[in-house]
Amino acid sequence: TLDKQKPVSAVMYSYLHYDHFNKRDVTQIGNKTRYLVPMGFASHFSQNHYKITEMDWFTSTSVEQATLHFVPAHHFNSRIWVPFLYDDTNETLWGGWLVEEAGKTLFFAGDTGYSQHFKDIYTQFGEIDICLIPIASYFHEQHETWYRYVHTRPEDAIAAANDLKCKVTTPWGYGNASWQMGDHSSHSPLFRLLKMLKTLKTDSQFIILNEGDTISL
């Protein structure tokens, strides 16, 4: 819980959807923490003297000893529950984050579909030590094509890890706390990933973490 955490130097947001940006969480964290957000994001904070830095794709900022880069994702942005039924204006940017510290790199993809942007990120930064790539919410009986357009399937995550030349890849988005948007079960994306890893070639080491697990690399 937040009251047991050490002081937070910065919080990075990837985009506006409710499972990523919860205003109640911001209220709990408070205004002494620095908030790193996509362009156009600041207007969604309440007027409480928050320290907000808006970022464009491939721009960078420093937090203590770390350098943080905001990078592209293949997604969309809105605060509308069902965007494919309504006009989605995408007035706010979205993306992922790449963190550099002490010669090591960590990449958080954010919600994203598979596209050229993974290769573009590799071109900019080179091979990445640890990649956190989503594998869920790619299937929906009525809107499967659209869901796959903005969410990586397990096999797409493997392709992305290859594009980024990730040394270690940890998948996320599945599990008991997931949104299960069209997934057959909370862990069906993980089962599919484990099957795909037997047939698709990758040099990345995939490490599976359950909720609450930690690992030291």
Side-chain angles (χ1 to χ4, degrees):
T1 59
L2 286 172
D3 58 345
K4 295 180 181 179
Q5 298 271 347
K6 295 180 180 178
V8 178
S9 299
V11 176
M12 299 175 290
Y13 281 107
S14 54
Y15 73 135
L16 274 175
H17 290 185
Y18 292 88
D19 57 330
H20 285 234
F21 178 61
N22 186 320
K23 292 184 178 181
R24 183 175 59 184
D25 292 342
V26 174
T27 300
Q28 286 185 279
I29 295 168
N31 60 11
K32 295 183 179 179
T33 295
R34 187 177 171 197
Y35 293 87
L36 308 179
V37 302
M39 293 293 293
F41 209 103
S43 62
H44 293 273
F45 284 76
S46 63
Q47 299 299 317
N48 192 27
H49 305 289
Y50 289 105
K51 304 172 185 176
I52 303 170
T53 301
E54 290 191 335
M55 308 277 289
D56 199 356
W57 287 344
F58 292 118
T59 60
S60 306
T61 189
S62 296
V63 176
E64 297 182 358
Q65 303 305 312
T67 302
L68 283 63
H69 310 274
F70 188 56
V71 294
H74 198 264
H75 206 62
F76 67 100
N77 226 339
S78 75
R79 296 289 278 182
I80 300 173
W81 280 106
V82 192
F84 42 78
L85 296 181
Y86 301 95
D87 178 33
D88 176 37
T89 57
N90 285 328
E91 293 180 353
T92 302
L93 200 59
W94 58 92
W97 292 94
L98 189 139
V99 180
E100 291 185 287
E101 185 174 4
K104 300 295 183 181
T105 51
L106 181 145
F107 169 66
F108 170 71
D111 273 13
T112 183
Y114 179 79
S115 80
Q116 174 67 30
H117 76 279
F118 290 116
K119 293 179 180 177
D120 293 340
I121 293 169
Y122 169 74
T123 298
Q124 185 82 3
F125 299 102
E127 65 180 17
I128 298 173
D129 293 301
I130 302 174
C131 294
L132 309 177
I133 302 177
I135 62 170
S137 300
Y138 56 86
F139 171 78
H140 191 284
E141 291 180 356
Q142 292 181 309
H143 304 284
E144 182 175 0
T145 300
W146 184 88
Y147 268 61
R148 286 173 57 184
Y149 183 75
V150 295
H151 293 107
T152 45
R153 301 171 298 170
E155 52 266 46
D156 296 331
I158 296 172
N162 291 342
D163 289 348
L164 294 160
K165 291 184 169 45
C166 304
K167 296 178 182 178
V168 172
T169 301
T170 294
W172 59 272
Y174 62 90
N176 296 328
S178 69
W179 277 63
Q180 297 183 48
M181 293 192 300
D183 299 332
H184 293 294
S185 73
S186 61
H187 284 77
S188 60
L190 177 58
F191 298 148
R192 179 166 173 163
L193 174 68
L194 295 174
K195 180 179 179 181
M196 292 298 176
L197 284 172
K198 295 178 181 179
T199 58
L200 298 179
K201 186 178 184 305
T202 182
D203 291 327
S204 183
Q205 179 185 4
F206 275 71
I207 295 180
I208 311 301
L209 297 178
N210 290 313
E211 294 152 8
D213 281 356
T214 61
I215 189 170
S216 178
L217 298 173

